[in-house]
Amino acid sequence: MRQLIQGFRHLLHGQRWAARHGRWWGFGLLPGLVSLLLYLAALAALITWGGDLADWLTPFADHWSSGLRSLVRDVTALLLIGGGLMLAVVTFTAVTLLIGEPFYESLSERVEEIEGGGPPPLGMSWWRQLLWGLRDALASVLLVAGIGLVLFVLSFIPVVGQTVVPAVGICVSGFFLAEQLTALAFQRRGLTFRQRVRQLRGRLPLALGFGVPLALLFLIPLVAVFAMPGAVAGATLLVRELDAPAAPPTTPPPAPTAPE
C-alpha cells in the first residue's frame, strides 16, 4: 500500500512541477495538441468514409436482400469506428511521446537538472535515439494490443468478463502507460524496453500507483493533452527514485579489544 501511495504522489508531484514551471508546461503541451489534431482528422475521415470502407470489406453481401445488406454494412462501419476509437486510446500516449520526443526529452532533462543528480549523457546521435525510441514504442504498442485482444475475448465470459476483466484491463493500461512515460528517463540511463519492464515489474505497486490513476484520468477527453507535461515530469521523478542508489548497510563499530 505504501508503494501505491508513493506512485500516486509522484503523479501529483509531476503535475505540481509543471504548474510551477509554466513555460515548460506550455512547451510540453505542443506535441499533445499536434497528436490530438492528427487523431481528430483520422477519426473524422473514418466516420466520413466508414460506410464506403464497410462496403469494400463486405463484397459478399452485394447480392443479399437490401435490409440484411444494410444491417451487415452498418454493423461493420460501427465496428470500424469503435475499433478506431479503441486504437486511438491505446496508441495516443505512445504516438504523442514519439512525436514530442525532443520536447519531452528536454522537459525530462530539465526536471533532472533542477532536482540535481541526473545521469551523464549517453553520447548517442539524435537519429539513433529516434530509432531506439521508435523501436521501443512499437514493441510497447504491439504488446499492449496483444494483451488487449486477449482481454477483449475474455470479456465475453459471463460475470468475469464484466467484473474482473475491466479491472485487469485498467491495471494493464496503467502499467504500460507508466512504462511509456518513464521511457525517456530510463533510456537516458541506457535501459532497453525489456529492462524497463523488468524494473517496473519489480516495483509493481509503485508503477500501478502512478499509472492507473493517470490511465483513468486520460479517459476524460482532452485531459491527456493538458496533463502530459506533468505526467512526463512525474515519470522522471519516479525513475529517479527507482535509480536511487541503495543506502549502505549500517554496521555497528567494532567492539574495542581488551588490552593484553
Side-chain angles (χ1 to χ4, degrees), residues 121-194:
L122 286 176
M124 187 183 297
S125 61
W126 69 268
W127 64 269
R128 290 190 66 183
Q129 290 187 27
L130 181 63
L131 289 176
W132 186 8
L134 180 61
R135 182 196 62 189
D136 285 359
L138 182 60
S140 178
V141 168
L142 289 177
L143 184 55
V144 172
I147 295 174
L149 182 61
V150 173
L151 292 175
F152 175 73
V153 173
L154 293 177
S155 67
F156 291 99
I157 301 175
V159 182
V160 174
Q162 291 73 49
T163 54
V164 177
V165 171
V168 173
I170 198 64
C171 288
V172 170
S173 298
F175 177 83
F176 282 101
L177 185 57
E179 184 280 319
Q180 291 167 357
L181 289 167
T182 55
L184 291 170
F186 270 138
Q187 285 177 353
R188 201 176 301 120
R189 290 159 172 80
L191 271 69
T192 64
F193 170 70
R194 186 171 297 181

Side-chain angles (χ1 to χ4, degrees), residues 224-236:
V225 175
F226 295 100
M228 186 68 81
V232 173
T236 304

Side-chain angles (χ1 to χ4, degrees), residues 183-241:
L184 291 170
F186 270 138
Q187 285 177 353
R188 201 176 301 120
R189 290 159 172 80
L191 271 69
T192 64
F193 170 70
R194 186 171 297 181
Q195 291 169 330
R196 297 197 303 266
V197 170
R198 189 181 303 119
Q199 183 90 297
L200 290 173
R201 194 173 56 196
R203 298 285 296 277
L204 186 60
L206 184 70
L208 293 179
F210 178 85
V212 169
L214 194 59
L216 293 171
L217 196 63
F218 279 12
L219 293 176
I220 305 172
L222 298 180
V223 168
V225 175
F226 295 100
M228 186 68 81
V232 173
T236 304
L237 297 173
L238 187 148
V239 171
R240 288 171 61 84
E241 176 177 327

Side-chain angles (χ1 to χ4, degrees), residues 14-25:
Q15 298 301 324
R16 282 202 294 267
W17 191 97
R20 287 198 308 268
H21 301 82
R23 185 171 69 89
W24 284 98
W25 177 79

